[in-house]
């Protein structure tokens, strides 16, 4: 990630309870003799707290939240006013807008972090007031960090984010505030990798709208993608199984992350890559953000140039079976961004006027320009 002191927190994950996923309309059963293990800081895991047929409340803004709402058949609900929630609801899903464009964004990095923390706190307070018995939050595996040569992220890995600005730190602040406000109400944290699908527009998907794909020297980037429909299925598994703790989400192939290397991704996209020294790439992103050209800070660049694949062990063990492979998810992503590239891959309008609103795309544009300048300077 970008330079700066990294704080690391103990993972909130605990052992998974509940049976493998069955028919969403059937209440799963558990062996009453199975005593789940718990971490003293977390609520215990047990059989599903309410039958799956009971109403589920879904709160959150953005396309991922809308997809979860549709997939679970839930009506839009206020995150702060539980009086409008369905009678008898005992399960809540809260979706954090992890790096999404289109969702409301504050003017400054500090205000954006406070906004996400406030969403988590208010949702947690409303859940307690409404007597909610199980909460599932959809956030991002980015809270575990992205670094050169990073090992596959496990569900129990600690949260590790920069002290500085960035969407991963914002999401971690949301998780912290939600957990604190729930006062022990069981909480499952579905943490997907790069989410793709119809209408999904994030600082990560916009990386593919640049004229070239950015890579940094000395590091190998793999792309672990998950379709939003499979994220919805993961939420359903977490709800029906009464799962709590960290739940990383990403497709597997032969029991390993179904991740694609940069060469495969670039070939499928029909794009060349531009490779820059890490210091040059992060320095350019920092300067663009500082002068207001980019809404996303330099730290966000780590998530498009460094790996952060996940094992998704608990969800797969509970019966989650994604229907979209990594390659199929990539096809969906490329179909979504096709036609969005304007002059030199730029979008015009709003705060993302400079380079697609995403640090990786912006630096790729600058890097491509530098390549052309060097080529022209070498001409006789």
């Amino acid at each position: 990630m970008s330079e700066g002191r990294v704080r690391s927190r103990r993972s909130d994950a605990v052992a998974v309870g509940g049976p493998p996923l069955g028919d969403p309309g059937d209440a799963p059963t558990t062996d009453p003799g199975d005593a789940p293990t718990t971490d003293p800081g977390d609520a215990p895991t047990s059989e599903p707290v309410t039958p799956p047929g009971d109403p589920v409340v879904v709160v959150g803004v953005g396309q991922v939240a809308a997809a979860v709402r549709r997939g679970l058949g839930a009506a839009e609900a206020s995150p702060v006013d539980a009086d409008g929630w369905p009678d008898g609801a005992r399960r809540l899903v809260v979706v954090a807008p992890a790096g999404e464009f289109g969702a409301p964004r504050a003017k400054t990095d500090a205000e954006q972090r406070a906004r996400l923390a406030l969403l988590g706190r208010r949702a947690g307070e409303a859940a307690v007031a409404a007597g909610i018995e199980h909460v599932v939050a959809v956030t991002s595996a980015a809270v575990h960090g992205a670094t050169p040569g990073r090992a596959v992220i496990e569900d129990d890995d600690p949260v590790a984010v920069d002290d500085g600005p960035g969407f991963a730190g914002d999401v971690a602040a949301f998780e912290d505030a939600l957990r604190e406000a729930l006062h022990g109400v069981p909480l499952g944290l579905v943490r997907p990798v790069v989410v793709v699908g119809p209408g999904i527009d994030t600082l990560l998907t916009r990386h593919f709208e640049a004229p070239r794909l950015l890579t940094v020297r000395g590091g190998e980037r793999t792309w672990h993608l998950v379709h939003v429909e499979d994220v919805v299925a993961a939420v359903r598994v977490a709800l029906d199984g009464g799962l709590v703790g960290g739940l990383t989400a990403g497709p597997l192939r032969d029991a390993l992350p179904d991740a694609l290397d940069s060469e495969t991704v670039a070939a499928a996209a029909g794009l060349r890559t531009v490779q820059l020294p890490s210091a040059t790439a992060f320095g350019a992103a920092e300067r663009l953000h500082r002068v207001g050209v980019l809404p996303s800070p330099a730290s966000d660049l780590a998530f498009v140039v460094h790996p952060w694949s996940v094992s998704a062990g608990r969800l797969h063990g509970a019966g989650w079976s994604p229907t979209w492979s990594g390659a199929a998810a990539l096809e969906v992503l490329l179909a979504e961004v096709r036609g969005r590239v304007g002059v030199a891959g730029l979008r015009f309008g709003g705060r993302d006027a400079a380079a697609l609103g995403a640090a990786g795309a912006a630096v790729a544009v600058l890097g491509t320009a530098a390549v052309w300048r060097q080529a022209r300077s070498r001409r006789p």
Side-chain angles (χ1 to χ4, degrees):
M1 298 179 68
S2 61
E3 295 182 358
R5 186 173 61 85
V6 175
R7 70 178 188 276
S8 178
R9 294 191 294 271
R10 176 189 58 83
S11 172
D12 56 346
V14 299
V16 173
L21 177 68
D23 186 323
D26 297 331
T29 58
T30 56
D31 184 345
D34 292 338
T37 60
T38 63
D39 184 284
D42 292 308
T45 303
S46 62
E47 62 182 349
V49 290
T50 53
D54 285 3
V56 177
V57 178
V58 178
V59 300
V61 295
Q63 290 300 317
V64 175
V68 172
R69 207 173 282 120
R70 288 192 302 270
L72 299 181
E76 187 167 359
S78 167
V80 298
D81 184 10
D83 290 340
W85 294 1
D87 292 337
R90 291 295 177 265
R91 298 179 297 170
L92 170 68
V93 178
V94 190
V95 184
E100 283 194 63
F101 290 96
R105 180 176 174 84
K107 293 181 179 179
T108 68
D109 296 327
E111 289 172 351
Q112 177 66 9
R113 182 152 303 179
R115 181 194 290 268
L116 266 291
L118 182 62
L119 171 63
R121 179 172 64 80
R122 286 182 171 176
E125 291 171 348
V128 172
I132 294 293
E133 299 172 1
H134 182 210
V135 177
V136 172
V138 181
T139 60
S140 173
V143 298
H144 294 292
T147 54
R150 200 211 196 289
V152 173
I153 296 169
E154 303 291 343
D155 293 313
D156 285 327
D157 282 356
V159 170
V161 293
D162 251 8
D163 287 331
F167 90 97
D170 296 343
V171 172
F174 164 87
E175 289 186 357
D176 286 345
L178 175 63
R179 185 186 297 106
E180 182 178 354
L182 285 174
H183 296 294
V185 175
L187 171 64
L189 294 164
V190 175
R191 293 167 171 161
V193 286
V194 181
V195 181
V196 303
I200 303 300
D201 181 20
T202 70
L203 62 89
L204 302 173
T205 61
R206 287 196 182 189
H207 182 64
F208 292 85
E209 299 179 27
R212 297 192 184 192
L213 294 181
L214 175 68
T215 62
V216 295
R217 293 173 190 166
E220 182 177 346
R221 170 50 159 132
T222 56
W223 288 89
H224 201 184
L225 311 175
V226 62
H227 197 285
V228 69
E229 291 179 359
D230 289 327
V231 174
V232 175
V235 171
R236 187 178 293 113
V237 169
L239 287 170
D240 292 352
L243 306 184
V244 303
L247 304 164
T248 57
L252 303 181
R253 184 176 67 249
D254 298 329
L256 297 174
D258 188 7
L260 308 171
D261 59 47
S262 295
E263 291 76 15
T264 299
V265 169
L271 296 173
R272 295 181 179 180
T273 60
V274 56
Q275 188 176 82
L276 298 174
S278 179
T280 300
F282 280 92
E286 183 178 357
R287 288 190 296 273
L288 288 171
H289 180 62
R290 188 169 58 244
V291 299
V293 167
L294 282 177
S296 56
S299 58
D300 288 345
L301 184 62
F303 298 97
V304 295
V305 297
H306 298 318
W308 48 295
S309 299
V310 304
S311 70
R314 287 201 173 95
L315 281 172
H316 282 275
W320 182 56
S321 181
T323 58
W324 296 81
S325 66
L330 176 61
E331 290 180 6
V332 172
L333 168 58
L334 296 178
E336 279 294 303
V337 302
R338 191 172 295 123
R340 289 183 181 175
V341 179
V343 177
L346 308 183
R347 282 186 184 176
F348 295 95
R351 295 192 67 209
D352 50 337
L356 315 163
V363 176
V365 170
L366 295 179
T368 302
V371 169
W372 280 109
R373 286 195 301 270
Q374 292 171 8
R376 286 197 301 269
S377 68
R378 288 194 294 267
R379 291 177 181 173

